Amino acid sequence: MTNSGLSRRSFLQIAGATGLGASLTGTIPSDLQRLLGGIHDDGRPADEVVPTVCEICFWKCGIRVHKRDGQAIKIEGNPEHPLSRGRLCPRGTGALGTLYDPDRLRVPLIREGERGQERFREASWEEALDRVAEGFKRVAEKYGPESIAMLYHGAGGSFFKTLLKGMGSANIAAPSYSQCRGPREVGFELTFGEGIGSPEPLDIANSKLLVLIGSHLGENMHNTQVQDFAEGLSKGMRLIVVDPRFSTAAGKAAHWLPIKPGTDIALLLGWINIIIQEEWYDHAFVARHTLGLEQLAAAVAQYTPEAVFVETGITPEQIRTTAREIALAAPHALIHPGRHVTWYGNDAQRSRAIAILNALLGNWGRRGGFYLTSKSELKGLATLPDFPEHAEPADRKDGEHLFAGSTLASGLREATLTGEPYPIKAWLVYGSNLPYVLPDPRKTYQAIQKLDFMVAIDILPAEICGWADVVLPECTYLERYDDLIVPWHREPFIALRQPVVEPLADSKPGWWMAKELAKRLGLERYFPWEEPREMIVTRLRSSGYSEEQIEGLFTKGTIKTEADPLYMLPDEDYEWGTPSGKIELYSQQLADYGFDPVPVYRRPAQPGEGEFRLLFGRAPVHTFGRTTNNARLLQQFPENEVWVNRRVAADMELRSGDRVMIRNQDGAETGPIKVKATERIRHDCVYMVHGFGHETKKLRRAHRNGGNDALLITKYEVDPLMGGTGMNVNFVTLEKVEV
Ligand SMILES: Nc1nc2c(c(=O)[nH]1)N[C@H]1C(S)=C(S)[C@@H](COP(=O)(O)OP(=O)(O)OC[C@H]3O[C@@H](n4cnc5c(=O)[nH]c(N)nc54)[C@H](O)[C@@H]3O)O[C@H]1N2
Ligand SMILES: Nc1nc2c(c(=O)[nH]1)N[C@H]1C(S)=C(S)[C@@H](COP(=O)(O)OP(=O)(O)OC[C@H]3O[C@@H](n4cnc5c(=O)[nH]c(N)nc54)[C@H](O)[C@@H]3O)O[C@H]1N2
Ligand code: SF4
Ligand SMILES: [Mo]
């Protein structure tokens, strides 16, 4: 393993020794040579193999990185790691294209032009960090420390969270809650008294039947889940896919239900109705663990197959057949809870309908359903002082979004815009390209204009960087330590992220930046260690791990501990975390606050003549916009296309390969983007992969490559229960262009 104290100079020497082009200061040809030709696995053995953890997405698989002559040459799955089991998704393997991306940020930058103009000068770390510390101090003195907010995504955020809390601010939020899985967590918390978490505890490998509502496994490439999905299918698991689009998963399904977008609650309530009417639910489980069956039965009686057909377009016969199949496979059947569920603004209630249906199947703590998780013990640092008192987060006003379980990123943007409930005047943005992550980019830019100070910490010159006062170049996850990773999982474990190669150019690890800022802000006491390895070893020792186990973490990548039972015993009592201590099919607390105690279907607005609902999702080889500049991954999936129903396309005289501009109801537009005319999508919607069509010229391969869904999401519906932002509510038109 390399020592992160090595200077840039010695890195250049190592790079030079390989003959792969020694200059790393911006000459593209040598970098490209390195990327496309210079570094590859030519079969010669590696000098060294270093275990660490992937961060191309947030699943955090264990990887083994092969090195030769100081360079990373190959990434493979770590067989010791429970989330990879020796295999990776294509993004994890292709990550060298990110590590050696010639567009990476190399030095700290200080803004010279207007915000958004992307005019910066290079600065020393000393000057850049002083600027950031001054910026925070100024804002804290004038408005209080709570007026500093942090918006982040990724494991590396933990050191900056400590910094914010040390300053006295609780305004810390990740879009992975309010723009992703928050509604699911709330729907399950309201029903089962606990959320789902990540990785999702789904026993898919042992399921007899799986229902996917949108969740497009196979395009959504969370490694372990895709492995489990493949194993389940190979063991004969039946699959029902509910999706307006014939997804990759739909190709494996016994039933594809091409639902009218936004009507899933009707289908779910229809299934619940049949399962109750026909007495197909798990009587013993429901009697022992749940509350409110009668009220549920009465509330869903109106959702007959015929009534549901009118809303969803799924025929009564299909609804009956699939309900029966689901019930027959119970309790080894699973309605997937989804992950990116911020679709229509009623998403916590849709997730609750999914939770209720699962409860009727009696699949919690059951083989082929939801398994029970455990977690390895890990103590914090005994020497870490308490954080100061802090104000309540500014992400919502009194009485708003009562059931939110985390701070809302979109709520912090709103507070920045309105100054309510109190002003937010500085942002620390870590690893989140906010203009394309939060709905309505215009609002994000307006909010930034209200700030006195903003720092962006990124590995690439993403759009967010162009709006910052100071840009700090982080090195990638392959070049740094992060905090230990300790998830709830079926096999509890601790995993280590450690550096494999030297940081590129003058990029630095986040932990170092946070510590340096802490020094400047008089907060050193919150970082009572010299370097992360010391902190990691101290925590492991104080948690009772042996020297052998600790050594194994650095050499093999994980420490594994004993698991609790995965499944409940049939007559086991269980204390559910709801107010009643039971699974709540009917929710009194929702009723008390004036919400629907049982989910209710309401018809969503429909696109007008010539308009389509805009849907979006994942490509198997890309993660959002963070890999769309990665040359290796672009080779496999070079640009996104807009999927249009074949007959509709023919009527519009559009053919596959034609280019169109896409325009939404507010006049926002993106393109040109290639058309994919296909039978695999309904007539009333179009679909594209998220993450393409970057506007910044600094990402040279990603710039204007394909279309950008984020630019078209100027409208969104906020979930009244928890503040998630439903983004599938924009309507677009297509216009052919000659290019
Ligand atoms: N390769 C890859 N994998 C990833 C990621 C990535 O960036 N790249 N990101 C990861 C992350 S953070 C997340 S949250 C997940 C997201 O992955 P999922 O949670 O699986 O995906 P969604 O984006 O919610 O869903 C997209 C699918 O929903 C369908 N859909 C759209 N509207 C509706 C509707 O009204 N009803 C129904 N039934 N279906 C609808 C779309 O046609 C599409 O097939 O993926 C994860 N995995
Ligand atoms: N329009 C639209 N919006 C969406 C979604 C969508 O499908 N469409 N999906 C939603 C979902 S499911 C989620 S989870 C969120 C995801 O939101 P994010 O994860 O915040 O999204 P990204 O666009 O990938 O932004 C990541 C930024 O982090 C940088 N980065 C990558 N690695 C590192 C690192 O190691 N250190 C640092 N400091 N920076 C790094 C990248 O260069 C990039 O600028 O977006 C949500 N928003
Ligand atoms: S699923 Fe793929 S990209 Fe995500 S952590 Fe695992 S290997 Fe990396
Ligand atoms: Mo997500």
Side-chain angles (χ1 to χ4, degrees):
M1 191 204 332
T2 49
N3 158 357
S4 54
L6 268 179
S7 68
R8 172 166 163 250
R9 193 182 158 80
S10 51
F11 177 49
L12 294 183
Q13 281 163 357
I14 297 166
T18 65
L20 291 173
S23 168
L24 284 169
T25 49
T27 49
I28 308 145
S30 67
D31 274 345
L32 273 181
Q33 179 196 344
R34 179 185 303 278
L35 178 67
L36 298 170
I39 297 175
H40 63 274
D41 181 25
D42 58 8
R44 283 194 292 139
D47 301 339
E48 197 185 348
V49 178
V50 184
T52 184
V53 177
C54 183
E55 179 101 356
I56 293 292
C57 84
F58 305 100
W59 200 253
K60 303 189 193 83
C61 299
I63 54 177
R64 288 161 43 100
V65 188
H66 293 239
K67 281 178 68 178
R68 198 183 312 119
D69 306 326
Q71 300 286 325
I73 53 168
K74 182 169 95 173
I75 303 180
E76 62 182 12
N78 182 352
E80 302 274 337
H81 192 287
L83 293 183
S84 44
R85 308 166 186 153
R87 284 147 73 190
L88 292 184
C89 89
R91 299 168 295 157
T93 317
L96 294 181
T98 295
L99 175 65
Y100 296 118
D101 188 330
D103 291 342
R104 270 182 59 184
L105 292 170
R106 289 149 189 274
V107 285
L109 301 171
I110 291 179
R111 182 164 63 84
E112 292 218 300
E114 295 292 306
R115 283 190 171 133
Q117 282 185 335
E118 299 189 318
R119 277 186 33 227
F120 292 92
R121 69 177 166 83
E122 298 192 350
S124 68
W125 275 101
E126 204 60 29
E127 185 190 4
L129 291 166
D130 284 349
R131 277 283 181 119
V132 177
E134 275 161 29
F136 286 161
K137 269 192 214 153
R138 226 182 323 120
V139 167
E141 273 161 25
K142 195 156 167 200
Y143 303 97
E146 67 278 7
S147 60
I148 304 170
M150 168 170 163
L151 295 147
Y152 79 103
H153 201 186
S158 65
F159 301 106
F160 295 98
K161 281 197 251 178
T162 304
L163 189 75
L164 266 268
K165 289 184 200 158
M167 285 194 275
S169 175
N171 283 314
I172 303 173
S176 50
Y177 190 80
S178 49
Q179 280 63 53
C180 179
R181 56 197 166 90
R184 172 189 86 180
E185 300 305 316
V186 172
F188 275 74
E189 277 153 15
L190 284 166
T191 312
F192 286 92
E194 56 188 291
I196 297 285
S198 176
E200 289 86 3
L202 309 177
D203 201 15
I204 297 177
N206 296 310
S207 292
K208 296 220 163 80
L209 180 136
L210 176 67
V211 181
L212 297 177
I213 316 258
S215 320
H216 52 332
L217 298 184
E219 288 156 292
N220 157 356
M221 282 301 281
H222 279 161
N223 185 7
T224 333
Q225 205 170 115
V226 176
Q227 289 184 29
D228 288 349
F229 181 53
E231 184 179 338
L233 289 170
S234 75
K235 294 199 297 206
M237 172 179 79
R238 275 181 86 74
L239 179 64
I240 298 172
V241 170
V242 183
D243 197 313
R245 185 180 67 97
F246 189 84
S247 58
T248 301
K252 318 266 179 226
H255 302 276
W256 170 44
L257 308 182
I259 195 163
K260 181 192 274 192
T263 66
D264 299 80
I265 294 184
L267 176 64
L268 288 158
L269 298 176
W271 275 338
I272 291 171
N273 184 32
I274 297 175
I275 286 171
I276 296 177
Q277 294 281 323
E278 304 289 337
E279 305 242 349
W280 287 337
Y281 59 89
D282 186 326
H283 284 69
F285 185 91
V286 168
R288 180 179 283 271
H289 296 291
T290 75
L291 181 140
L293 181 68
E294 274 177 30
Q295 289 138 306
L296 173 67
V300 298
Q302 58 176 304
Y303 299 99
T304 60
E306 287 68 24
V308 171
F309 165 58
V310 175
E311 299 303 319
T312 60
I314 313 297
T315 64
E317 196 195 326
Q318 283 176 310
I319 296 169
R320 288 198 178 89
T321 310
T322 47
R324 184 155 185 275
E325 284 193 21
I326 294 168
L328 274 176
H332 315 292
L334 193 51
I335 318 298
H336 194 295
R339 185 169 175 116
H340 177 223
V341 294
T342 43
W343 289 352
Y344 299 96
N346 57 359
D347 307 301
Q349 288 283 17
R350 185 182 65 254
S351 296
R352 203 169 120 67
I354 292 175
I356 291 171
L357 182 52
N358 277 303
L360 294 178
L361 303 178
N363 65 8
W364 196 275
R366 287 282 182 74
R367 190 177 169 80
F370 294 86
Y371 58 75
L372 308 178
T373 54
S374 26
K375 186 169 170 165
S376 302
E377 170 142 0
L378 184 65
K379 292 203 168 82
L381 282 178
T383 48
L384 198 70
D386 288 341
F387 293 116
E389 294 278 309
H390 57 74
E392 284 295 305
D395 63 325
R396 55 204 113 128
K397 301 187 192 103
D398 250 3
E400 235 182 12
H401 312 316
L402 286 167
F403 296 98
S406 278
T407 306
L408 308 167
S410 35
L412 291 181
R413 181 183 69 177
E414 201 60 25
T416 308
L417 272 169
T418 61
E420 300 287 339
Y422 56 82
I424 296 288
K425 286 293 179 182
W427 283 7
L428 183 157
V429 183
Y430 176 93
S432 190
N433 192 19
L434 295 176
Y436 299 167
V437 169
L438 301 177
D440 199 348
R442 301 168 306 182
K443 272 195 162 185
T444 304
Y445 296 131
Q446 283 161 14
I448 292 172
Q449 295 293 29
K450 299 241 169 191
L451 295 174
D452 285 359
F453 182 74
M454 175 177 138
V455 52
I457 303 166
D458 208 300
I459 60 170
L460 289 168
E463 284 72 10
I464 187 72
C465 299
W467 292 74
D469 298 304
V470 178
V471 179
L472 300 180
E474 188 169 40
C475 55
T476 69
Y477 67 97
L478 292 169
E479 302 161 306
R480 66 175 196 245
Y481 282 105
D482 274 328
D483 212 350
L484 290 169
I485 295 154
V486 200
W488 290 93
H489 190 55
R490 64 191 308 154
E491 304 158 77
F493 65 95
I494 299 177
L496 173 71
R497 171 166 295 141
Q498 60 183 337
V500 178
V501 292
E502 278 305 301
L504 176 87
D506 214 5
S507 63
K508 297 273 190 195
W511 67 261
W512 180 86
M513 296 179 216
K515 230 173 116 57
E516 285 294 315
L517 288 171
K519 275 187 207 160
R520 288 163 171 79
L521 294 162
L523 299 171
E524 267 182 296
R525 60 188 182 284
Y526 295 108
F527 297 85
W529 38 272
E530 277 311 306
E531 48 93 38
R533 189 179 173 120
E534 173 200 332
M535 180 259 298
I536 288 165
V537 170
T538 309
R539 287 181 70 188
L540 292 167
R541 281 190 186 139
S542 71
S543 309
Y545 293 100
S546 69
E547 293 307 311
E548 199 184 334
Q549 282 174 306
I550 295 172
E551 184 56 28
L553 182 64
F554 287 93
T555 54
K556 297 202 184 78
T558 56
I559 294 177
K560 291 184 218 170
T561 57
E562 209 166 308
D564 295 335
L566 287 178
Y567 309 124
M568 279 163 61
L569 298 171
D571 53 0
E572 192 173 322
D573 281 319
Y574 196 89
E575 187 59 35
W576 304 91
T578 52
S580 63
K582 296 276 185 189
I583 299 171
E584 298 190 347
L585 305 178
Y586 176 94
S587 170
Q588 190 57 49
Q589 49 168 343
L590 281 178
D592 290 346
Y593 286 106
F595 296 111
D596 299 325
V598 169
V600 172
Y601 167 75
R602 293 183 179 85
R603 188 178 297 163
Q606 291 304 309
E609 183 71 27
E611 286 184 337
F612 308 93
R613 185 183 297 277
L614 174 71
L615 304 181
F616 44 90
R618 311 282 170 243
V621 306
H622 287 287
T623 305
F624 317 120
R626 65 177 71 204
T627 56
T628 47
N629 204 58
N630 173 319
R632 289 194 181 206
L633 297 177
L634 282 170
Q635 275 176 0
Q636 299 172 52
F637 189 103
E639 65 184 301
N640 63 353
E641 301 169 309
V642 56
W643 294 40
V644 185
N645 176 274
R646 190 188 292 280
R647 263 177 303 138
V648 171
D651 288 347
M652 295 173 70
E653 298 185 357
L654 287 175
R655 287 203 186 84
S656 283
D658 285 351
R659 303 258 168 187
V660 291
M661 293 300 293
I662 311 181
R663 203 161 289 121
N664 81 355
Q665 69 284 330
D666 298 324
E669 63 174 24
T670 189
I673 176 173
K674 243 192 213 172
V675 169
K676 171 176 170 138
T678 170
E679 264 124 44
R680 291 171 53 183
I681 189 162
R682 285 175 58 97
H683 63 280
D684 50 3
C685 49
V686 294
Y687 173 85
M688 69 167 92
V689 167
H690 169 62
F692 283 84
H694 276 276
E695 292 164 290
T696 176
K697 290 190 178 136
K698 307 215 169 205
L699 294 170
R700 283 169 289 183
R701 286 183 220 88
H703 174 61
R704 305 207 116 212
N705 177 30
N708 188 336
D709 61 320
L711 300 179
L712 300 172
I713 301 173
T714 50
K715 184 163 182 250
Y716 57 98
E717 297 284 347
V718 178
D719 194 311
L721 268 56
M722 49 65 66
T725 57
M727 306 203 263
N728 291 12
V729 296
N730 289 273
F731 301 136
V732 298
T733 54
L734 310 182
E735 189 192 331
K736 188 168 167 178
V737 287
E738 302 302 331
V739 277

